[in-house]
Amino acid sequence: MMKWLAAASLLVAMPAMAEPKQVTPLDQGWQVRLDPADPAVKDHPREAEWFAATVPGSVQQDLIAAGRVPDPYIGRNEAAIQWVGLAGWQWRRTIDVTPAMLARRHIELVFDGLDTFATVSVNGQQLLVAANAHRRWRIDAKAALHAGRNTITIAIASPIKRLQPMVLAIAHPLPGEYDSAFGDEPKGRQTSPYIRKPKYQYGWDWGPRIVSIGPWRPIRIEAWDDARLDTLRVEQEALNDTEARVIARLDVVADAAVRRRVRAVVTTPDGRTVAVERDVALAPGANHVAVPLTIARPQRWWPAGAGAQPLYKVTATIGDDDRAERRIGLHTVELDRVSGALTLRINGRPIFAKGANLIPFDEFPARVTPARMRSLLADARTANMNMLRVWGGGYYLDDAFYDAADAMGLMVWQDFMFGGAVTPPDADFRASVVAEADEQVARLQAHPSIVLWSGGNEILAGWENWSDRKAFKRAVGADEQERIGTGMAVLFDRVLRDAVVRNAPGTPYWNNSPSSDYEGPIDTDANGDRHFWDVWSGSKPVERYLDGCPRFMSEYGFQAMPVMVTIRAFAGDGPLTPDSAVMKTHQKFLDGEGNARLQFYLDQRLRPARDFADFVYLTQVDQAQAIAMAALHHRACRPVTMGSLYWQLNDVWPGTSWSSIDYYGRWKLLHYAARRFYALQAIVAEHVGGATRIALVSDAAAPTPAMWRVRAMAMDGRLLKQSSATVVLAPDTAMEAARLDDAGLFGDAPVPSSYAVAELLVGGKVVSRTIVERAVPRDMAYPDPGLTVRWQGNRVTVTAARLARAVMLDFGAVAAQPSDNGFDLLPGESVTVTVTADATPAILAGALTLRSLAR
């Protein structure tokens, strides 16, 4: 077996030949300073002196840690950090190298991520000029090193200052994403389309503008002699109930013509091993070695809710030189495109995708821990999700994210990192993307959770449909329009598709989101996936969600404020209104004016707010009800519709957004609702045009005996009428069970004072319930629910004397997460909730406010 060396010091003596690769992390001892030649030194002279840096990280993180800039997440501090991204910065550290180390044939510096225009020198000798934050960079530094102390320096230029002269000289720059609110770039003249850097850091309509700079992923030294394993990919060649055939594909770099024994081992979920060895002759340079492996009685990987997630480990070694390991799941993935469909078939079974879009976890990726990623994914799994879309305006996530998704059965729709801007058509840009795509797909291809690669977010839809793109095309003329359009077609239909075919055969590719994959118009119900924003962005009523059945709804959303404890964390303890300056700073939709859209929908649907905390509650109710309406409708449209991914799961900073979980991991009422509307079985009740349509949905693999019932109720608790039937829910289907007109169901009961309760029962237990309102909640005569509470330790029982709609346990400025929230209670019903908090039960009881939709 290969001997692994502790990554501690370069002073360890090493024999000169045929020893294992030695890996030494360079994550300590770095310093950073403002480039002394940068004009910013005039206003920030102190920063031109060396101070401590954290690697991996960014200079913004270092300045915040040193107290030299305020935390941009607090108050209105975002503006105070903008100068940092407009300046050039330098990093340095020293390393001690022994003669024994220099005896190794190769001493390579490996940078997993440099953001972005970076120049690396060793002892004053320039070795690397990097220009893509999404790539790994490797340089042989041996010739620049000497025995004793050596200095590594990294100089990173401001991406805005580097690109701005070029952009300002172009008559019609490429359309980008979001203009800067800070005057550092003229409106409509963005530098971001021209750089391979996480686009969200230039600002989005849910996050701040912090143009980060730094070595944002790990740095290390790799010392080796004869051979180095560059990449290990594991391809599944065949899978049936008897056996699975996989191929371990090793890309090996050799120093000279040498022979090596290559060994590949599969470890099964129950600990059995299958090993294959072969002797290979390696030529100088790049070599490809394929080792076939056969696994008897394979166990298949399934998405959450459809089966188990058995995982296999594949380990490959090249003699004693190097080794690599991948964890895989055995499954087949097909993309059904018949008649415009966008259906994922896993192991031959059509899977309805239930989930959300995932944005970056933080403005500073280096401070996102594996535990934080696992926690968010666990919350998604708890809400009965089976898919997340990794949105294309961020960055390719660490393997720890996909490891967690593999283990939890969460399918991943993986965008390439293109966020909305029109892409440059030049050859150098395309060549950079080719290297990036090959590297990232090869790195991630073994993860069974990745069931779809997509070219990016809204680039092609924007080019075809958006008004600013249409104006751009008119301005540049037919020839330039053709050149740019052809460049995008080459990039998204050939370059990225080929990267998936080469590196992850068997995983489908989708050229953009939304898209029809060049089969017709983009972003329609008839073909491919949709991004539906008539509701919210278009100010249309939420009932518009019921107008059609898309083939796959990959984006739709509705905003809400986070809970009060999160708001107080960034806004402080003073009085607040939706129009408070700090609240507008932390609302990026419509350049800070988005809270007026919240009020617009509250005026349409819900009652007036009593105070700011009640306003926060009402926005969360509005969001939860709107998304529940849409998601349940999508599920009821099965098999026409085969996916519903709302926007968005998480936040990049604390603020008002479309998320169901805020930056600190606190659930909004939407996330509790998602656990209900994404349940294995669900009843859908849609009241439209004086009648209620009842549909039943089951994602179970087997037929399920069930009963549905609809009870018409008066607000005083009287039962007006009941309709019910027993059914057998077919596997993986939605069925219409009934259409009940108001006259037959409610008789002459007044609209505001009558409602219906639709329930689905399996095994005599209610597994899904929805309240049918005959008018928007604003116009319903909800009674005072008469809510009472009883505490036992950290468990609280809430009882309603009368109908209680959207009950929220609100703990104000005390951090607490109830096990359920935002629920309905019928007259006389109780629910017991467990509250997770650091606070004592007495503090929780004193902080609790019960809220409902009653006036």
Side-chain angles (χ1 to χ4, degrees):
M1 292 184 63
M2 179 177 180
K3 180 174 67 175
W4 285 98
L5 300 180
S9 170
L10 298 180
L11 295 171
V12 178
M14 298 280 297
M17 298 291 290
E19 286 293 319
K21 181 178 74 177
Q22 179 184 4
V23 178
T24 304
L26 299 180
D27 56 359
Q28 301 291 329
W30 288 91
Q31 295 177 305
V32 65
R33 71 175 178 182
L34 181 61
D35 184 342
D38 195 282
V41 170
K42 179 180 178 182
D43 295 322
H44 305 280
R46 184 185 177 199
E47 278 61 56
E49 302 295 328
W50 294 105
F51 60 98
T54 298
V55 173
S58 66
V59 67
Q60 284 91 342
Q61 289 171 255
D62 297 327
L63 290 166
I64 294 166
R68 301 189 182 195
V69 296
D71 187 337
Y73 285 17
I74 304 300
R76 305 183 66 195
N77 293 337
E78 179 189 356
I81 204 170
Q82 296 305 310
W83 70 272
V84 182
L86 298 172
W89 296 86
Q90 299 172 344
W91 283 256
R92 75 176 183 186
R93 72 154 285 172
T94 60
I95 58 173
D96 290 325
V97 178
T98 66
M101 174 60 73
L102 288 173
R104 302 301 297 262
R105 294 185 187 177
H106 300 274
I107 307 174
E108 295 179 330
L109 279 173
V110 183
F111 303 86
D112 284 341
L114 294 170
D115 191 1
T116 296
F117 293 121
T119 301
V120 177
S121 301
V122 175
N123 295 326
Q125 181 178 338
Q126 181 178 304
L127 299 184
L128 171 68
V129 177
N132 186 326
H134 299 299
R135 286 186 58 187
R136 173 181 295 130
W137 302 92
R138 179 185 293 271
I139 52 176
D140 197 328
K142 180 177 178 178
L145 293 168
H146 54 251
R149 178 154 293 191
N150 296 254
T151 301
I152 303 170
T153 60
I154 307 169
I156 303 184
S158 162
I160 295 173
K161 291 296 181 66
R162 171 67 64 87
L163 293 170
Q164 198 162 62
M166 176 196 72
V167 173
L168 294 178
I170 300 172
H172 302 288
L174 294 173
E177 288 100 357
Y178 289 88
D179 285 324
S180 172
F182 301 99
D184 51 334
E185 292 187 297
K187 302 294 185 184
R189 291 185 169 272
Q190 300 171 17
T191 56
S192 63
Y194 299 91
I195 188 173
R196 294 307 298 143
K197 171 180 173 60
K199 298 305 178 70
Y200 77 103
Q201 293 170 348
Y202 290 86
W204 219 267
D205 59 0
W206 35 254
R209 181 179 176 91
I210 304 176
V211 183
S212 68
I213 293 175
W216 71 287
R217 278 189 160 153
I219 303 172
R220 61 188 175 278
I221 287 180
E222 295 185 1
W224 56 282
D225 295 315
D226 292 343
R228 172 178 63 79
L229 178 53
D230 189 62
T231 305
L232 169 63
R233 293 179 292 118
V234 183
E235 294 179 7
Q236 181 180 288
E237 187 177 47
L239 175 64
N240 56 50
D241 292 340
T242 303
E243 67 177 18
R245 296 196 302 276
V246 300
I247 302 174
R249 297 194 181 276
L250 292 70
D251 292 321
V252 181
V253 178
D255 176 79
V258 294
R259 295 194 66 84
R260 282 291 180 270
R261 171 154 291 192
V262 174
R263 175 179 171 87
V265 180
V266 175
T267 304
T268 67
D270 58 5
R272 293 179 294 113
T273 59
V274 178
V276 173
E277 294 184 359
R278 54 178 295 197
D279 291 327
V280 297
L282 300 175
N287 298 262
H288 177 73
V289 180
V291 182
L293 295 152
T294 300
I295 303 168
R297 302 180 301 280
Q299 303 175 52
R300 297 176 188 249
W301 184 97
W302 287 95
Q309 293 81 44
L311 295 169
Y312 294 74
K313 183 174 68 176
V314 178
T315 305
T317 56
I318 312 166
D320 289 328
D321 297 80
D322 206 355
R323 76 190 298 272
E325 183 177 295
R326 294 288 183 269
R327 194 168 63 162
I328 67 169
L330 301 173
H331 65 354
T332 60
V333 183
E334 304 163 83
L335 190 62
D336 183 345
R337 295 288 293 117
V338 175
S339 301
L342 185 60
T343 301
L344 282 162
R345 295 181 180 272
I346 310 298
N347 299 321
R349 178 180 169 187
I351 302 294
F352 188 100
K354 302 180 293 188
N357 288 261
L358 183 94
I359 65 170
F361 290 79
D362 202 291
E363 281 292 316
F364 308 116
R367 67 184 186 187
V368 179
T369 64
R372 185 170 163 193
M373 291 187 285
R374 284 194 301 270
S375 177
L376 187 73
L377 292 180
D379 285 345
R381 181 67 189 88
T382 299
N384 293 309
M385 296 183 185
N386 63 13
M387 174 177 271
L388 295 174
R389 173 182 169 231
V390 178
W391 168 79
Y395 56 92
Y396 304 95
L397 296 167
D398 293 343
D399 278 277
F401 171 85
Y402 303 95
D403 287 341
D406 295 343
M408 296 181 196
L410 288 167
M411 297 182 291
V412 173
W413 169 320
Q414 177 67 51
D415 278 3
F416 283 97
M417 291 300 116
F418 293 89
V422 175
T423 54
D426 60 275
D428 288 345
F429 182 88
R430 190 176 303 135
S432 180
V433 173
V434 169
E436 166 194 323
D438 276 337
E439 176 190 316
Q440 295 294 349
V441 179
R443 175 176 72 91
L444 297 174
Q445 61 84 221
H447 291 284
S449 55
I450 300 178
V451 297
L452 184 72
W453 280 89
S454 171
N457 176 73
E458 296 183 347
I459 300 99
L460 301 182
W463 184 248
E464 181 173 299
N465 298 325
W466 295 358
S467 59
D468 67 326
R469 272 58 168 168
K470 292 179 179 179
F472 172 80
K473 288 186 280 190
R474 289 192 299 269
V476 299
D479 289 347
E480 184 68 0
Q481 175 184 335
E482 178 68 17
R483 186 175 81 93
I484 294 171
T486 299
M488 287 192 290
V490 171
L491 184 66
F492 295 112
D493 194 38
R494 285 171 42 191
V495 168
L496 299 180
R497 193 186 302 273
D498 289 351
V500 176
V501 170
R502 281 195 307 274
N503 295 289
T507 303
Y509 172 79
W510 190 241
N511 73 341
N512 238 246
S513 181
S515 173
S516 61
D517 207 21
Y518 300 108
E519 289 186 357
I522 297 173
D523 205 11
T524 71
D525 279 355
N527 197 334
D529 67 317
R530 283 216 70 181
H531 291 189
F532 185 80
W533 287 103
D534 286 5
V535 177
W536 185 262
S537 294
S539 299
K540 298 296 190 295
V542 297
E543 290 75 18
R544 287 290 295 271
Y545 284 134
L546 307 180
D547 285 354
C549 291
R551 305 314 305 258
F552 193 115
M553 188 67 87
S554 52
E555 269 194 34
Y556 62 101
F558 202 96
Q559 274 200 353
M561 289 190 171
V563 292
M564 283 300 301
V565 65
T566 291
I567 291 173
R568 289 302 181 191
F570 69 77
D573 296 330
L576 293 171
T577 72
D579 291 329
S580 295
V582 69
M583 296 307 301
K584 293 173 77 169
T585 296
H586 288 254
Q587 163 62 278
K588 295 302 180 182
F589 179 64
L590 295 181
D591 296 325
E593 299 302 324
N595 292 337
R597 189 65 51 87
L598 290 170
Q599 185 64 60
F600 170 82
Y601 276 107
L602 292 186
D603 292 343
Q604 274 196 354
R605 300 193 68 251
L606 302 182
R607 61 168 173 76
R610 300 184 180 97
D611 53 29
F612 181 74
D614 198 47
F615 180 87
V616 169
Y617 157 73
L618 291 171
T619 69
Q620 291 203 17
V621 173
D622 225 4
Q623 179 192 43
Q625 291 186 350
I627 300 303
M629 179 186 297
L632 287 169
H633 179 72
H634 299 153
R635 295 187 70 188
C637 283
R638 182 177 183 156
V640 173
T641 304
M642 285 301 293
S644 182
L645 308 178
Y646 66 76
W647 187 271
Q648 64 210 57
L649 179 66
N650 61 314
D651 273 331
V652 74
W653 81 324
T656 300
S657 80
W658 296 266
S659 71
S660 62
I661 301 176
D662 75 22
Y663 174 75
Y664 296 109
R666 296 165 183 146
W667 291 19
K668 298 180 184 176
L669 296 186
L670 170 56
H671 207 74
Y672 294 97
R675 187 168 57 190
R676 296 186 279 269
F677 61 66
Y678 281 151
L680 187 65
Q681 287 103 8
I683 189 166
V684 184
E686 297 174 349
H687 186 265
V688 179
T692 301
R693 172 180 177 250
I694 302 297
L696 309 176
V697 179
S698 177
D699 292 333
T704 306
M707 182 185 84
W708 65 266
R709 70 184 178 204
V710 177
R711 291 177 286 166
M713 307 287 292
M715 286 295 178
D716 61 11
R718 288 180 296 114
L719 176 66
L720 301 176
K721 187 173 182 179
Q722 177 170 310
S723 296
S724 63
T726 57
V727 294
V728 175
L729 303 177
D732 295 325
T733 57
M735 58 174 285
E736 184 170 305
R739 285 184 180 266
L740 307 172
D741 65 85
D742 282 2
L745 186 60
F746 296 104
D748 58 0
V751 169
S753 58
S754 57
Y755 63 97
V757 183
E759 295 171 312
L760 178 65
L761 294 85
V762 174
K765 179 183 177 182
V766 175
V767 297
S768 179
R769 173 197 279 177
T770 186
I771 301 295
V772 180
E773 294 160 318
R774 301 178 67 187
V776 294
R778 177 196 64 196
D779 296 330
M780 296 296 290
Y782 294 128
D784 179 345
L787 295 171
T788 58
V789 299
R790 185 179 72 257
W791 284 89
Q792 281 189 306
N794 67 335
R795 291 166 59 85
V796 58
T797 299
V798 182
T799 302
R802 291 163 290 279
L803 174 67
R805 289 283 280 127
V807 176
M808 180 184 189
L809 284 72
D810 185 351
F811 292 94
V814 176
Q817 181 159 307
S819 58
D820 198 6
N821 219 348
F823 45 80
D824 299 317
L825 289 174
L826 299 180
E829 276 192 337
S830 297
V831 64
T832 298
V833 173
T834 301
V835 183
T836 301
D838 291 334
T840 65
I843 291 174
L844 292 174
L848 175 62
T849 297
L850 291 177
R851 302 187 185 277
S852 78
L853 287 182
R855 288 183 180 272

